[in-house]
Amino acid sequence: MISAPDVVAFTREEELEDDLYREPPLPEEYSVPLFPFAGHGANPWAKVAGSKFTRDFILISEFSEQVGPQPLLTIPDDAKVSGTFDLNYFSLRIMSVDYQASFVGHPPGSAYPKLNFVEDSKVVLGDSKEGAFAYVHHLTLYDLEARGFVRPFCMAYISADEHKIMQQFQELSTEFSKASECLKTGNRKAFASELEKKLKDLDYTRTVLHNETEAQKKANDKGYYTTQAIEKANELASVEKSIIEHQDLLRQIRSYPYRKLKESEFHPYEPECALDRADTGCDQDSAPSDPAETSETHLYTHIPSYTPKLIKAKSAKCFDKKLKTLEELCDVYFFTQTLDQLHHIERTFRGDVCYLLTEQISRALLKQQSVTNFLFEDVSFLDEKPPEKQYRGCQGLSQDTMDGRCLEESVTPKVVISLGSYKSSVECVPIKMEQEMEDSEEPRMSESVTSEPQENLDYLDADIKGSISSGESIEVLGTEKSGSGLTKSESQASLPVMASPQAGRSKVGSRRTVSEDSIEVLSTCPSESLIPEDFKASYPSAINEEPYADNDDERGLRFAPRLSPGVADERDDVSKQESLVQVDAACCIGKESPNFLEPLPELGQKPCEEDGVVRIPPQPYRAAEQGLRGGFPAHDGVPGGLLPYELDSRYLSGSREVSKSSLDECSDSTSYISSAASTCSDRTPSPAHAACQAGERHRKRAGQNALRFIRQYPFAHPAIYSLLSGRTLVVLGEDEAMVKKLVTALSIFVPNCSVYAKPVKHWVTSPLHLVDFQKWKLIGLQRTVSPAGVNVLHALSRYSRYLSILDADSKTLRCPLYKGTVVARLADHRTQIKRGSTYYMHVQSILTQLCSKAFLFTFCHHLHLPISEREPEESVVNRRMNFLKLQLGLANEDVKIVQYLAELLKLHYIQEPGQGGSPLLRFDYVPSFLYKI
Amino acid sequence: KSSVQTVGEEQIQNPYTELLVLKGHQDIVRFLVQIDDCRFASAGDDGIVFLWNAQTGEKLFELHGHTHKITAIAPFSSSDAFEEKNHLIITASADRTVIVWDCTSGRQVQKVSCFHSTVKCLTVLQRLDVWLSGGSDLCVWNRKLDLLCKTSHLTDAGISALVELPKNCVAAAVGKELIIFRLSDSNNESEGWNVFEVKRLVDHQDNILSLVSVNDLTFVTGSHVGELIVWDALDWTKQASECNFWDSSVHPDVQPEIKLSQSPNETSVQHLTSDEECVFAAVGKGIYVYNLQMKRVIACQRTAHDSSVLHIEKLPNRQLISCSEDGSVRIWELREKQQLPAEPVPTGFFNMWGFGRANKQANQAAKKMQENTPVYFLELVGDLIGHSSAVQMFLYFGELGLATCSADHLIILWKDGERESSLRSLTVFQKLALNGDLQLKL
């Protein structure tokens, strides 16, 4: 039924790697993984080569009960994106590993059909033949007309870069959960209203039938019932039963919120409160007059406009009817919200993984710099997203700096990993457990489980985070090789996965039996007849596992023993049986998210894949990671630990040549990254952030313009100095486009005065006033010959002491002298940097250095206040100047830059959050000079 | 061609390197009055009174009550030693009302609207705990706003200035005349007061514009045509007079056409201020220092500004600040001749836009003064450029800075940047300590 195309590939890969590691000579830290496909002349980063699609996309598929797995839509909705990639085939693949036990129907021992509020399952799938890797998010929607009332769907994020899926798993999972939650919320509503309609129909039918029976009774006075009458009575009875069933279903669907409240991670769906839904991020408008709310109220109350229909005793068979579309299933409003969310996801994860990671890391770091980050960072860009996740992700990368909060929030996943070997964590629980919980507990224990689920859920949750994989078809990653005796066929490799969850589960929910587990696996099978067989199939395996699980004193968290060679024999027979029911042998990669601990060793061990896909991201990524390790404690501990300064002093002590060369190196590598990023899967280096796309473009353009400015104007340094020291720079010119371009170029050097406004005004036509200089530090000003223009110029000359004036037409600059060194590094006209975005990063890094100096300067107590009461003011001033010049290594006018930044920091710190703070204008009485080209 | 002295862009002695613009008024701001150490009130043609914090620039209160422009403002602090110090301000408006405001609560305490004409000046006699309003007549009020007594109708033009003199007397400038009134207890009633005219002085040729009391023995008046008369405060006799400040005949090197072009406006004594030794007069565009002992002008700056000087103030440190219709504020220092001033630093960039002033003559004015002022001269040490229109008045707050108000509806607080910076540092560390951020967080 389902093939296993990756089997060969993976064994080959294994061999290859073994060869690689058999050569011992170099110590590990010096060994550079070879690039074995260099002969092909391939760009090592051209991951696209193998894949048939041009960029990452999101696919929504359904397992239709009529036609089987089918793709529904892709995001972006563009045929070019998926290219020649076979969506149908891939849908089949991803839908066939749905481990959601959508067990609905009449469970044994229950009179009525039960609805299960099934958690989504999240798995990572890979198809290296196709060059496609996917994060797959399965979810189930309710449909009254569907078999078992459920319709399985899945959303998949498909990328050519496996590493990306792995690294971003946590993020993807969070984002997709939001989308899924949104869909399901809409679906529950739609389902409830559908049920209500159905109930009305039934009620109506019952009335009609009842009347008919009564009429018959009256008409028929023979004393015995005709077959007709008996039929009618039966029909009536079945309608009555159906009513009860549907009422029960309605009650169940309505009871949903109360059952979900226990779980904090998922936002409870409360009909009363539309705001909660807004929190899930599904919808942007959280106004109380939400369309959702209104629909909600009327969905759950009476719908007077609905006229009930008579229901035929024999309903149409399922193949005759047309199934509802996704849109119908979950309410147009929620559907569009979901699409928005998915588009957001697509934008967010566009681009190379190293780009995403560095972005996340730097964002997390910047967030911590709350005292200084407002100066040069785009704060909206920082504020945009709840930082928590990324922060955690970042912390997770450096395993030695796991802080308490991190542990607290996700203790269990960590434990899973640290206790077991990596291998075990890969495999530990491939199958989604929550639904299982519900499956097993609901029918059996009915109401008595109230206290237990919480505990279990915690654990299960952990499992889900810790490992995501499918049973049969797990693609065993490099870690597998680190395990000693596991060089068996992949059917064996797949085996423990099948088994281990049961061990874990049997540990956790002792009341659960194996049969339920297997049901859940089988539920993905289209044919129901298979079920009994599968019961048999998995039953022994579970039995076999039991003892191991019992030996485990870590409450089933440690799975390593099960993988030991000794167990393999035990499992062989199981595996044979398993192979009979091997539902899907497709490659299905299970691995934990990047937030967990192992990625580094893995990187080292597994340099490449067989089809030219290089799995090691470009080096700077690792460098960043390592830097992070070093950097974090300092940042966490001492406010503004001395790290930046240490780095800096070294930097400064070096000769100018050295610094320049290091700069050039730096710039080269960065530009290299960006070019690399541009060649990878997306072909466009794109932001990790949807909304900063515009910002990104702006930055790029600004960087490019700034580069041009630096090369064109020999007096770029004093101009930039003016901006950095807080002296308003006016760009004067006739041509609006030219002036705006210059303003854009220079805007990257302007420190923000507050969080809210970038003090840049691109184009002004009226005379400037003093108030303008308070607000704006960079102004584009129109030069006209009209009388009004005279006023403009008059104002300029009047306020000349507050201004530097860059005349774009005559190419002159009037501003104070600059003799410092910082700007020379910032704006070297001989720079080798070619790309705007690279230059922007270069500027950003130097500005960050300046910021850290300003931070140090601002928050060193003795530099501003006397040590003792009697200390004269002059000695404080001396100390201050000494610090600036000797410690911070600032020359001449650079002192003023740092002083200005320090003033901004102070103001920012003092400022009360509520009030805007009065803008003040600081200035110097310094002579200006005229620069000409 | 202007002969105004300019100072270079480098102004070492100018401490004001930070400014705050206080916005609020919607019309010309004409008055600034100090309430206490760190508060001041501003008032102007929009009829609104604002109270400001001079340190932070924070707007404390916005006092609405007048429907027309405000014509006079005076602070009125209670002198009761046992009572909590209560700061009041009195404002008079063209709507013929006077309102007393409480500066602590920002409320209107009382409003008087029984005037027949606009009150143009207000004076508080702390000693007697009464205040006077001068319009077409002179009224005497006590703290509770009871009208104690009033004069008969004087003129339609009304009293333009009032100054307190010893022995319960006040001098009121009414047109060209200076009228001395005396307040006295009425014979029997305890709270009864009488005001009566003692003397009428008619020595001025034109309207008296400024009136200032130098000390208990002297007061000075200045008129529209540039007469400056020093009076004895006790017997109201003329001690000295100067009436040719502007007269270039004493300066032979000045071109005659300048004299011809002089209109009365350019010679009017706009404002007078004094310390113990000297009277400083803002005459036309110039500033003159008149020494009371020597009875002559010892130093002057004939064209201190581009247009009329509206207000001058003597600072404790031999400095003088003037503000003018040209929108600038200038800081002068009275120096002795022996220390030759450094040549002003040429800017060299003013001409760039075609509006520059030649600074060749920068020092000429001072040189010209030599024969007239052998001992002293006024040296420009700094200028403050911020307002785009006439600077009406300013208020010197010592180290807190300087507040200037202008016809461009703005008030600017000029501050010493160094001081502010260190104050902010202090605040930063106080806040750090408060938040507990100074402790090492592990």
Side-chain angles (χ1 to χ4, degrees), chain A residues 192-211:
Chain A
S193 75
E194 201 189 352
L195 273 173
E196 276 172 346
K197 284 181 189 171
K198 184 73 184 274
L199 272 174
K200 287 209 184 73
D201 291 347
L202 287 168
D203 207 38
Y204 177 70
T205 314
R206 182 178 61 179
T207 326
V208 171
L209 284 173
H210 189 72
N211 290 346

Side-chain angles (χ1 to χ4, degrees), chain A residues 530-744:
Chain A
L530 273 176
I531 291 179
E533 279 174 50
D534 283 301
F535 266 67
K536 283 173 222 152
S538 52
Y539 193 74
S541 84
I543 294 293
N544 286 344
E545 291 309 313
E546 286 291 335
Y548 287 99
D550 285 340
N551 291 342
D552 253 338
D553 37 3
E554 249 90 23
R555 281 189 47 94
L557 290 180
R558 210 189 310 164
F559 298 106
R562 259 171 274 125
L563 292 168
S564 64
V567 195
D569 296 340
E570 227 173 337
R571 268 193 227 116
D572 270 350
D573 55 332
V574 184
S575 71
K576 274 169 207 140
Q577 282 171 304
E578 292 249 18
S579 58
L580 294 177
V581 280
Q582 200 151 39
V583 193
D584 177 25
C587 87
C588 179
I589 307 154
K591 207 195 102 177
E592 85 266 43
S593 80
N595 302 0
F596 303 114
L597 308 173
E598 262 18 56
L600 277 182
E602 193 215 346
L603 291 176
Q605 287 169 3
K606 202 158 168 274
C608 56
E609 242 180 288
E610 87 291 343
D611 51 357
V613 174
V614 175
R615 291 202 177 183
I616 297 186
Q619 283 310 300
Y621 154 58
R622 288 189 68 182
E625 200 172 37
Q626 273 147 10
L628 196 70
R629 289 173 179 228
F632 251 109
H635 282 290
D636 275 349
V638 199
L642 289 176
L643 190 72
Y645 164 58
E646 282 161 8
L647 288 172
D648 217 50
S649 60
R650 188 199 57 202
Y651 185 81
L652 289 163
S653 64
S655 71
R656 207 174 151 168
E657 268 69 35
V658 170
S659 64
K660 198 180 288 169
S661 71
S662 72
L663 263 189
D664 287 349
E665 253 172 58
C666 159
S667 64
D668 275 349
S669 65
T670 44
S671 64
Y672 184 56
I673 296 171
S674 60
S675 65
S678 67
T679 56
C680 74
S681 64
D682 272 2
R683 304 231 155 79
T684 44
S686 58
H689 238 271
C692 24
Q693 230 170 349
E696 179 81 0
R697 224 173 295 126
H698 167 80
R699 265 177 257 161
K700 222 156 116 188
R701 209 177 50 220
Q704 198 58 54
N705 288 344
L707 262 182
R708 210 168 297 144
F709 173 75
I710 289 159
R711 295 210 175 100
Q712 259 177 23
Y713 293 83
F715 47 72
H717 290 185
I720 293 168
Y721 163 68
S722 283
L723 293 171
L724 286 175
S725 60
R727 188 178 172 113
T728 301
L729 179 71
V730 174
V731 180
L732 184 68
E734 280 176 38
D735 177 23
E736 181 172 351
M738 184 162 117
V739 169
K740 279 186 170 171
K741 202 180 224 173
L742 274 173
V743 170
T744 311

Side-chain angles (χ1 to χ4, degrees), chain B residues 373-406:
Chain B
T373 61
V375 189
Y376 297 103
F377 69 96
L378 282 171
E379 169 72 17
L380 181 63
V381 296
D383 60 346
L384 307 177
I385 294 174
H387 289 292
S388 56
S389 184
V391 182
Q392 298 288 337
M393 197 181 170
F394 60 87
L395 202 59
Y396 178 70
F397 264 97
E399 59 176 9
L400 282 190
L402 183 76
T404 57
C405 68
S406 157

Side-chain angles (χ1 to χ4, degrees), chain A residues 368-380:
Chain A
Q368 300 184 327
Q369 304 293 318
S370 57
V371 180
T372 55
N373 63 13
F374 73 95
L375 280 176
F376 292 106
E377 302 300 330
D378 189 355
V379 183
S380 58

Side-chain angles (χ1 to χ4, degrees), chain B residues 149-168:
Chain B
C149 55
K150 60 186 277 187
T151 62
S152 57
H153 182 79
L154 297 166
T155 60
D156 285 335
I159 299 167
S160 58
L162 275 172
V163 70
E164 184 184 0
L165 299 177
K167 296 196 282 187
N168 290 358

Side-chain angles (χ1 to χ4, degrees), chain A residues 769-771 774 798-799 801-802 814 861 864 903 906 909-910 920-923 925 927-930, chain B residues 9 11 14 16-19 23 327 349 383 385-388 412 417 421 424-425 429 431-432 437:
Chain A
H769 196 263
L770 188 69
V771 189
Q774 282 188 313
R798 178 175 179 82
Y799 295 117
R801 69 174 55 168
Y802 306 117
R814 197 194 81 97
H861 182 276
H864 304 279
E903 252 0 272
K906 283 188 220 168
Y909 188 80
I910 294 169
L920 50 82
L921 180 67
R922 288 176 65 83
F923 50 92
Y925 297 104
S928 287
F929 295 89
L930 187 68
Chain B
E9 290 183 322
Q11 300 178 7
N14 188 346
Y16 302 107
T17 55
E18 190 173 309
L19 62 83
K23 282 185 270 189
F349 299 107
D383 60 346
I385 294 174
H387 289 292
S388 56
I412 298 182
S421 175
R424 272 194 290 272
S425 285
F429 287 105
K431 188 172 176 183
L432 278 169
D437 288 348

Side-chain angles (χ1 to χ4, degrees), chain A residues 636-639 727 732 769-771 774-775 783 790 793-794 796-802 805 807 812-814 857-862 864-865 873 877 880 899 903 905-913 918-930, chain B residues 7-12 14-21 23 56-57 326-328 345 347 349-350 352-353 355 357 383-389 408 410 412 414 416-418 420-429 431-433 435 437-442:
Chain A
D636 275 349
V638 199
R727 188 178 172 113
L732 184 68
H769 196 263
L770 188 69
V771 189
Q774 282 188 313
K775 253 189 302 188
R783 181 210 296 273
V790 172
L793 294 183
H794 181 75
L796 276 191
S797 77
R798 178 175 179 82
Y799 295 117
S800 61
R801 69 174 55 168
Y802 306 117
I805 298 159
D807 191 327
T812 59
L813 173 74
R814 197 194 81 97
F857 174 67
T858 314
F859 293 97
C860 277
H861 182 276
H862 297 338
H864 304 279
L865 303 173
E873 182 62 26
V877 172
R880 187 155 61 217
Q899 278 176 331
E903 252 0 272
L905 289 180
K906 283 188 220 168
L907 282 168
H908 181 71
Y909 188 80
I910 294 169
Q911 199 180 64
E912 295 300 322
S918 46
L920 50 82
L921 180 67
R922 288 176 65 83
F923 50 92
D924 292 310
Y925 297 104
V926 287
S928 287
F929 295 89
L930 187 68
Chain B
V7 65
E9 290 183 322
E10 214 162 0
Q11 300 178 7
I12 302 149
N14 188 346
Y16 302 107
T17 55
E18 190 173 309
L19 62 83
L20 269 173
V21 176
K23 282 185 270 189
T56 63
D326 66 6
S328 68
V345 182
T347 67
F349 299 107
F350 276 116
M352 188 177 156
W353 313 106
F355 299 99
R357 305 173 181 123
D383 60 346
L384 307 177
I385 294 174
H387 289 292
S388 56
S389 184
D408 62 4
L410 299 178
I412 298 182
W414 304 84
D416 181 346
E418 289 290 311
E420 292 302 310
S421 175
S422 57
L423 278 179
R424 272 194 290 272
S425 285
L426 190 64
T427 322
V428 161
F429 287 105
K431 188 172 176 183
L432 278 169
N435 294 357
D437 288 348
L438 286 179
Q439 269 75 44
L440 210 64
K441 278 181 189 162
L442 292 174

